[in-house]
Every structure is written in structure tokens, then in C-alpha cells.
Amino acid sequence: MQYIRHTVSLCILLFFGFSSCTKNLVEIEGISLLNIDMACFSFIDSQFIINDDTAYTVLLDYLKDSIACENYQLPPIDFTERSLLGKYTSGTGCTTFYWRYVYADLESQNYLYEITADIDSFSCDPYVEKSSYNFIIVPKIPADYGVIFDVQYE
């Protein structure tokens, strides 16, 4: 069922974003989550495409001024071989499950980062805000490629 939802949302995005569901898409493998202590950050941007150490260290500009975060260090990433993507999602509920996929459209030279957030709002009281920046590390994105973010809520 989840596969059908991803396929349908991908075709809809491709139809409106790229004008055809017949594009040559390749699922990107070798994706890993980046665990950042979000309690230490106060970002103002809602999405991130980071391809080098300089842009990565700029994230520290958003570090909160607190004793618990004063010595915070970002996890190392080898930007000669990897890129970092992030997209903010939020919703109100009890628990949140995320499905994250990245595809390359070889014709339009875009990466598609698809995030599905399944927020359970039926089994708790009170509701709380659930949010994530969905940071993932992917194989290095070619310099001539763009990134399209697609977020679906269930």
C-alpha cells in the first residue's frame, strides 16, 4: 500500500513538475539519516542543500545560546563524496513516522527528495507538535543538478 502511495504521488509530482510520468527516474541508494540534536538549533530556513564544509559549518550559526549546546559539534561528513539534504516538516499528533526517498531525474537533471510524514493523531491527549528537518546524507549531487522537495502528510 505504501508503495502505491509513493508511486501515485511521484507520478503526480512528475506530471505537474516535469510534464510527464514517463521520465527516466533512478532511485538513489546509499542514503543515511543525519542525527543532529534539534534541541540545540533554531533554524530559520525550511530546506537545505549542502554540498561543502563551508555551508555545513554555517549551520552552527543557528546554535542556541545554552550551556547544554555550547560545545556542540556537527557530525563529520565527507563532502567530496556526499551531500546533505534537509526539509522541515511539522504536524500535531502523538507519534510520527517518516518515509524518505531520493530519486534522480536524468532528463531534467533534478533530484527529487520525497518525504512522507505519517502523523498519528488518534491515540493521545494532549496533542504535541512533531517536527523534523529530515536531514539525510546522499551520494554527492552533481553540480549541474537541482533538488526538488516533495512533502506528503498522511
Side-chain angles (χ1 to χ4, degrees):
M1 185 66 175
Q2 189 68 27
Y3 173 78
I4 293 170
R5 279 183 261 166
H6 288 294
T7 303
V8 169
S9 67
L10 186 58
C11 283
I12 290 170
L13 177 70
L14 291 174
F15 181 76
F16 290 107
F18 303 123
S19 75
S20 172
C21 274
T22 61
K23 296 286 183 173
N24 187 15
L25 291 180
V26 176
E27 185 171 357
I28 302 299
E29 297 181 8
I31 295 171
S32 59
L33 290 175
L34 177 68
N35 292 317
I36 291 180
D37 184 357
M38 296 312 300
C40 283
F41 289 89
S42 181
F43 294 121
I44 57 172
D45 297 322
S46 65
Q47 62 188 38
F48 297 88
I49 303 167
I50 298 176
N51 288 304
D52 58 52
D53 289 315
T54 303
Y56 188 48
T57 56
V58 168
L59 294 180
L60 292 174
D61 292 346
Y62 301 101
L63 202 59
K64 290 182 180 175
D65 187 22
S66 72
I67 294 173
C69 302
E70 67 184 351
N71 294 320
Y72 188 84
Q73 293 184 354
L74 294 168
I77 298 175
D78 180 0
F79 286 105
T80 62
E81 296 184 14
R82 312 289 280 168
S83 295
L84 176 65
L85 300 177
K87 175 71 176 167
Y88 182 77
T89 59
S90 69
T92 304
C94 306
T95 57
T96 306
F97 299 96
Y98 292 98
W99 288 270
R100 300 170 181 98
Y101 300 93
V102 178
Y103 303 94
D105 183 325
L106 304 178
E107 288 182 37
S108 70
Q109 294 186 311
N110 281 302
Y111 272 38
L112 168 64
Y113 181 12
E114 181 183 87
I115 303 165
T116 301
D118 187 357
I119 302 172
D120 174 15
S121 59
F122 297 108
S123 60
C124 69
D125 187 39
Y127 295 146
V128 295
E129 181 177 351
K130 301 290 183 175
S131 62
S132 173
Y133 272 91
N134 299 285
F135 282 114
I136 60 169
I137 302 169
V138 299
K140 187 72 171 178
I141 297 173
D144 57 344
Y145 272 61
V147 177
I148 297 171
F149 296 90
D150 177 37
V151 177
Q152 304 289 322
Y153 291 94
E154 296 184 356

